[in-house]
Amino acid sequence: QVQLVESGGGSVQAGGSLRLSCAVSRYTSSAYCMGWFRQAPGKEREGVAFIDSDGRTGYADSVKGRFTISRDNAKNTLYLQMNSLKPEDTAMYYCAADFMRNFCVYNRGVFGYWGQGTRVTVSS
């Protein structure tokens, strides 16, 4: 059973930084797309950043220039470096994997595997 386990969430003040990690276990290939999503209370889950197996990335407009997604294929680990955090970044953050493609489709529905989420709280 493939598992995705996030870590690194927490509480910070506006302007601060956090680094999220997502470890993928029991899956040996690196040819897949991974993404970070977030869901704030009362809102839809939205895509934040994506990275394919060749390192091509995509970002939501709201985080461009502040967040950086990366992956270590040798460790099967995904990262999200979040800088200049704002109160509106407060949400539960989830990593997800699409093992059917080695390129990214920016559609929540194609991601078949999800982590349990890690909470990020940004205070003003």
Side-chain angles (χ1 to χ4, degrees):
Q1 181 82 6
V2 175
Q3 288 187 319
L4 280 64
V5 179
E6 301 101 334
S7 60
S11 297
V12 295
Q13 290 193 324
S17 298
L18 283 173
R19 188 192 196 207
L20 306 184
S21 298
C22 173
V24 180
S25 62
R26 302 191 183 97
Y27 196 82
T28 57
S29 172
S30 63
Y32 55 93
C33 173
M34 293 204 74
W36 287 100
F37 292 78
R38 66 185 181 187
Q39 188 166 18
K43 293 190 175 181
E44 295 265 327
R45 190 171 297 189
E46 61 174 357
V48 175
F50 304 90
I51 185 167
D52 68 15
S53 56
D54 291 327
R56 287 179 291 246
T57 59
Y59 296 91
D61 287 342
S62 58
V63 306
K64 279 181 184 176
R66 300 188 299 121
F67 290 11
T68 302
I69 189 171
S70 61
R71 64 193 287 174
D72 184 333
N73 289 335
K75 295 182 179 179
N76 258 1
T77 302
L78 176 72
Y79 303 98
L80 185 68
Q81 178 66 43
M82 305 186 294
N83 298 329
S84 302
L85 282 161
K86 304 175 181 180
E88 51 264 44
D89 294 319
T90 295
M92 187 72 82
Y93 283 72
Y94 300 89
C95 68
D98 172 15
F99 295 121
M100 300 298 290
R101 283 159 278 269
N102 62 0
F103 56 91
C104 287
V105 174
Y106 299 164
N107 183 326
R108 184 179 66 188
V110 307
F111 288 84
Y113 291 85
W114 294 81
Q116 81 289 350
T118 185
R119 187 171 301 279
V120 172
T121 302
V122 184
S123 58
S124 57

